[in-house]
Amino acid sequence: MNGARAGDLASASLVSSTRFIELDAAVWSNNTVRVMARNISAATFDLAAATLSVEVTKRRVP
């Protein structure tokens, strides 16, 4: 993510139905967002063909 900096807020979502997949996103380093997908069910999922969307919101500095 071009322009992402430490302290910015990051979120991620998948286009496919992922009722049992929990996503976490964080700005990992400058211009880099790390997304972790966690399976919260006993089922097996194949995310190889899923479309991932990531959003970064700039931190407000007072």
Side-chain angles (χ1 to χ4, degrees), residues 4-8 27-30 59:
R5 300 281 184 252
D8 292 347
V27 176
W28 195 248
S29 62
N30 289 344
R59 173 178 52 130

Side-chain angles (χ1 to χ4, degrees), residues 13-42:
S13 64
L14 287 170
V15 173
S16 60
S17 176
T18 55
R19 194 168 85 178
F20 299 111
I21 299 293
E22 187 177 88
L23 295 176
D24 291 319
V27 176
W28 195 248
S29 62
N30 289 344
N31 302 320
T32 304
V33 175
R34 184 176 188 178
V35 178
M36 182 175 66
R38 184 178 308 126
N39 182 354
I40 58 173
S41 75

